[in-house]
Amino acid sequence: MKAQVNGTFRDLADGTSVAAVVSLVGAPSSGVAVALDGAVVPRALWEKTIVPDGGVVEVLTAVQGG
Amino acid sequence: MDDPLIIAGREFRSRLITGTGGAANLSVLERALVASGTELTTVAMRRVDAAGRTGVLELLRRLGIEVLPNTAGCRTSAEAVLTAQLAREALETNWVKLEVVFDEETLLPDPVELLDAAERLVADGFVVLPYTNDDPVLARKLEDVGCAAVMPLGSPIGTGLGIRNPHNIELITARAGVPVVLDAGIGTASDAALAMELGCSAVLLATAVTRAQDPERMGAAMRCAVEGGRLARLAGRIPRRFWAQASSPGL
C-alpha cells in the first residue's frame, strides 16, 4: 500500500505502524511528534496505530527558528 | 533588585527571549544565547529530514534554557492549532508562541485567523503567547480570549526597522492586563531599550542577534539594553520640555 510520509509517497507493507514510519524517516529518539491524517498520534499509541492505505503521515521535530 | 518577569505564573529573571532562528551554526548560537542571558527561547517545528537538522534541543537542554515552540509558517488557524498540538506532544510543553501570518512578503499576522487559533488553543489548555500586529484592539481581544501575554511587532519579522509605531505599543502596554512582549523588528540595542521604556515587559528577538556581525557581542548588548530600558521605565523619565532648564544653580 502507499502512504505519504513527510510529503513523499512511499510503498509500505500492509499493517505498518506509526512507530515503524518514525524509524523509517530516521527520527531522533526524543523531541518528535507525529500527525496521521491531520491529527496528533500520541507517542503511547505509535506501536498500535496502523497507517492506512493513502494515509498522510507527518513526522516533526524542533529546529532553529523564531 | 528583584524584578522577575512573570508569565502564566512562571518566573523569569531575564526579560529577553532570544529566538534560535538565523544562527550560522549551533556553536555561534550557543555563545549568543549565553551572552544574552535568556531563559526562554523559541524553536520551530519542521519535518524530520535526512539532513538531520536537529541538535538545537540538546543544546537548550544543556544550557538549561526553556523551549518555546512557535507555529511559524502557518497561514490558517487550523494549521497553527495542529502545529501547536504536535509541539506539545514532541516537547512536552503546553506553551506556544502562536504565529499565523498572511503572506511571505510581509509575514504580518492574519488577525482573523490568529484570534480564532488563540481561542481554540486556550480552550485546549495551552499557554498562548500570540505574535500580533501593533494593534491595541486586537491585543485587547487576544487578552480577552485568555492569552497569557500579547506580543506585538515593532516592524515586520527580520527587517530590523525597529518600532515603527511607538504610540501604538504604548497604547497596548497602557491597557494590557497581561505581559506585553515586543516581538519582531528589533534591529539594534536602542530598539530593545525603547520597547522596555514604552512599558513592555520583555523583548523577543532573533535575527538582530543571530545575524549580527558578532552575535555573541550583540546578545550581550541586547541583555544590557533590556535591563537598561526596564530600569528607566521603573525610574520614571523626566517630562519633555520645550525650553532649556539649567541643571546648575544660578550665579
Side-chain angles (χ1 to χ4, degrees), chain B residues 84-164:
Chain B
Q85 290 169 339
L86 286 164
R88 178 170 61 183
E89 175 71 15
L91 307 177
E92 293 167 3
T93 175
N94 63 342
W95 286 44
V96 64
K97 173 185 167 181
L98 178 61
E99 290 184 55
V100 192
V101 302
F102 181 71
D103 63 19
E104 284 304 308
E105 289 71 32
T106 67
L107 296 176
L108 289 173
D110 180 327
V112 177
E113 297 293 319
L114 180 70
L115 189 60
D116 183 71
E119 201 163 8
R120 287 168 193 269
L121 289 170
V122 169
D124 193 14
F126 281 87
V127 172
V128 181
L129 285 64
Y131 164 61
T132 176
N133 297 290
D134 56 355
D135 174 355
V137 177
L138 180 57
R140 183 57 165 272
K141 291 196 172 193
L142 287 163
E143 182 181 337
D144 287 347
V145 301
C147 291
V150 290
M151 307 207 294
L153 55 82
S155 49
I157 293 171
T159 61
L161 290 172
I163 299 174
R164 304 309 289 177

Side-chain angles (χ1 to χ4, degrees), chain A residues 43 58-59 61 63-66, chain B residues 20 42 44 46-48 86 89:
Chain A
R43 182 178 278 264
E58 295 283 338
V59 185
T61 190
V63 299
Q64 289 180 48
Chain B
T20 59
T42 59
R46 289 293 177 269
R47 287 170 171 168
V48 170
L86 286 164
E89 175 71 15

Side-chain angles (χ1 to χ4, degrees), chain A:
Chain A
M1 62 99 171
K2 274 189 185 300
Q4 204 176 326
V5 178
N6 280 356
T8 305
F9 283 99
R10 287 186 184 246
D11 286 311
L12 299 176
D14 285 351
T16 297
S17 69
V18 165
V21 172
V22 170
S23 54
L24 185 71
V25 299
S29 57
S30 64
V32 175
V34 178
L36 173 58
D37 293 331
V40 177
V41 182
R43 182 178 278 264
L45 300 178
W46 286 0
E47 288 290 348
K48 58 174 127 176
T49 302
I50 303 304
V51 179
D53 189 33
V56 177
V57 186
E58 295 283 338
V59 185
L60 303 189
T61 190
V63 299
Q64 289 180 48

Side-chain angles (χ1 to χ4, degrees), chain B residues 40-52:
Chain B
L40 181 66
T41 183
T42 59
V43 292
M45 298 301 294
R46 289 293 177 269
R47 287 170 171 168
V48 170
D49 64 12

Side-chain angles (χ1 to χ4, degrees), chain B residues 3-15:
Chain B
D3 176 36
L5 166 67
I6 302 174
I7 301 176
R10 195 188 288 181
E11 285 193 16
F12 301 92
R13 315 290 311 166
S14 167
R15 291 177 176 271

Side-chain angles (χ1 to χ4, degrees), chain B residues 31 165 191 217:
Chain B
R31 291 198 302 274
N165 197 335
D191 299 328
R217 192 169 286 187

